[in-house]
Amino acid sequence: MSLEITFLGTGSAYPSPSRGASALVLRREGQCWLFDCGEGTQTQLMRSHLRAARITKIFITHLHGDHFFGLPGLLCTLSLQSDPDASKAPVDIYGPLGLRSFLWRSLELSHSQLLFPYTVHELVPTPDQCPAEEFKDFSGWDTGEALPQGPPGRVVHLDPGEDSYLLVEDEQLVVRAFRLFHRVPSFGFVLEEKPRPGKLNVQKLKDLG
């Protein structure tokens, strides 16, 4: 399995003319997975050798602006470069609880209609991931409010046995999120390649002594 990592931004707090806010892309078998999307990420993508249209998954570590304020703009740019296709697989977006509401409201208020489907999978944090005074429960924000245009997606809870969140699994790898301690609930992501059976013919070796 071939993996290639490109850093689009390594700055914090705010972007600068020479250094973007947090964003990196993992390229895997023709697909691009984006990790964080600070301001200016789409501009950095244009300067790189990567094609933004190949982004199929986006992972947001935490809800500080320098890690996700670039996301609505990126989605709108991707839409401008897209053709309407109801059969197209959705872009999967993973991040802390509250991300679905942020994206839906940002796109609604800006009258932005995306030409491609997307899903938001929210990770439910635990109170011990940040100082007690900073922890906010966003689970009831949209209770009782109809969100017919809101994006679909899963709400993912911590698996106590694994002490992690299972996000993606296919024939080659597993992607899990794990809890980090920060000023707000934060997550790290682990890509674990599954064992690959070898092609060694043990019986033939035995026959050859």
Side-chain angles (χ1 to χ4, degrees), residues 97-98 123-127 130 132-143 157 185:
L97 198 65
L123 285 64
V124 179
T126 57
C130 66
E133 64 274 11
E134 296 283 354
F135 184 81
K136 295 180 180 179
D137 182 3
F138 295 125
S139 59
W141 264 28
D142 298 314
T143 301
H157 293 269

Side-chain angles (χ1 to χ4, degrees), residues 3-42:
L3 299 176
E4 177 186 287
I5 292 177
T6 301
F7 291 91
L8 298 176
T10 57
S12 63
Y14 55 87
S16 74
S18 60
R19 190 179 186 189
S22 181
L24 70 85
V25 171
L26 182 142
R27 189 164 65 170
R28 175 200 177 211
E29 299 181 346
Q31 297 184 19
C32 290
W33 293 3
L34 176 64
F35 291 81
D36 278 342
C37 188
E39 284 183 82
T41 294
Q42 57 178 314

Side-chain angles (χ1 to χ4, degrees), residues 146-168:
L147 294 176
Q149 302 92 350
R154 295 181 293 140
V155 175
V156 188
H157 293 269
L158 178 72
D159 179 344
E162 297 287 341
D163 196 28
S164 63
Y165 303 74
L166 178 61
L167 305 183
V168 180

Side-chain angles (χ1 to χ4, degrees), residues 21-192:
S22 181
L24 70 85
V25 171
L26 182 142
R27 189 164 65 170
R28 175 200 177 211
E29 299 181 346
Q31 297 184 19
C32 290
W33 293 3
L34 176 64
F35 291 81
D36 278 342
C37 188
E39 284 183 82
T41 294
Q42 57 178 314
T43 305
Q44 294 293 88
L45 273 167
M46 294 172 190
R47 292 172 175 163
S48 75
H49 65 285
L50 302 168
R51 291 182 57 193
R54 293 190 179 275
I55 294 175
T56 58
K57 298 187 188 302
I58 300 173
F59 301 84
I60 302 297
T61 57
H62 63 292
L63 300 184
H64 272 155
D66 55 336
H67 289 257
F68 80 118
F69 276 171
L71 187 51
L74 174 64
L75 294 178
C76 290
T77 296
L78 291 178
S79 181
L80 290 173
Q81 299 172 349
S82 301
D83 295 319
D85 184 359
S87 64
K88 184 178 180 181
V91 173
D92 287 304
I93 303 173
Y94 302 84
L97 198 65
L99 183 59
R100 178 183 289 113
S101 181
F102 167 80
L103 276 178
W104 177 73
R105 294 178 190 280
S106 297
L107 296 173
E108 276 289 296
L109 288 169
S110 60
H111 296 258
S112 303
Q113 296 182 342
L114 303 185
L115 297 180
F116 61 89
Y118 73 103
T119 58
V120 180
H121 309 289
E122 294 185 301
L123 285 64
V124 179
T126 57
D128 57 350
Q129 286 182 248
C130 66
E133 64 274 11
E134 296 283 354
F135 184 81
K136 295 180 180 179
D137 182 3
F138 295 125
S139 59
W141 264 28
D142 298 314
T143 301
E145 181 180 349
L147 294 176
Q149 302 92 350
R154 295 181 293 140
V155 175
V156 188
H157 293 269
L158 178 72
D159 179 344
E162 297 287 341
D163 196 28
S164 63
Y165 303 74
L166 178 61
L167 305 183
V168 180
E169 183 171 12
D170 60 26
E171 300 80 11
Q172 292 184 313
L173 58 74
V174 177
V175 181
R176 296 181 183 273
F178 60 93
R179 295 173 296 166
L180 298 174
F181 187 85
H182 189 37
R183 203 158 51 82
V184 297
S186 182
F187 298 91
F189 301 100
V190 172
L191 285 73
E192 181 180 0

